[in-house]
Amino acid sequence: MGTISVERTALNRLIADGASDSDSYQRRYNELGRTHRGQPTGQILPLLRIAAKQARLDFTDEDLAEQARAIRDSTPYALRVILV
């Protein structure tokens, strides 16, 4: 399980809310889950880094690596969000 701290005003950059989710990290993560399932983590990880950077989110390298493995293996990934 990963953990990320985000400001309340930045929550929409992380979580798709249906109204303005076109740039959310969650939308990009789900898209990679559909398109890169079974691919090597080395191909997925740079794409996750780009998505996190575009959403201005500070995931650790280990969090992104765990997410890449979850996409590769098509397994759930739990993320604890701390609002600051």
Side-chain angles (χ1 to χ4, degrees):
M1 173 194 307
T3 301
I4 189 168
S5 297
V6 296
E7 295 180 21
R8 289 184 189 275
T9 57
L11 195 57
N12 66 330
R13 293 194 316 256
L14 175 64
I15 299 172
D17 66 3
S20 61
D21 67 350
S22 63
D23 290 332
S24 75
Y25 184 79
Q26 179 184 13
R27 184 192 61 79
R28 291 184 177 136
Y29 179 89
N30 290 341
E31 185 176 289
L32 287 172
R34 286 189 303 276
T35 60
H36 286 74
R37 184 176 302 135
Q39 299 296 315
T41 57
Q43 289 180 3
I44 301 166
L45 192 52
L47 300 173
L48 287 172
R49 280 195 178 105
I50 291 168
K53 183 177 179 177
Q54 289 174 337
R56 298 183 315 271
L57 297 171
D58 295 323
F59 284 106
T60 66
D61 288 338
E62 182 56 32
D63 282 339
L64 291 172
E66 285 180 31
Q67 292 174 39
R69 288 189 295 273
I71 288 171
R72 177 196 65 201
D73 299 338
S74 190
T75 57
Y77 177 77
L79 178 65
R80 181 180 1 179
V81 178
I82 300 170
L83 297 177
V84 292

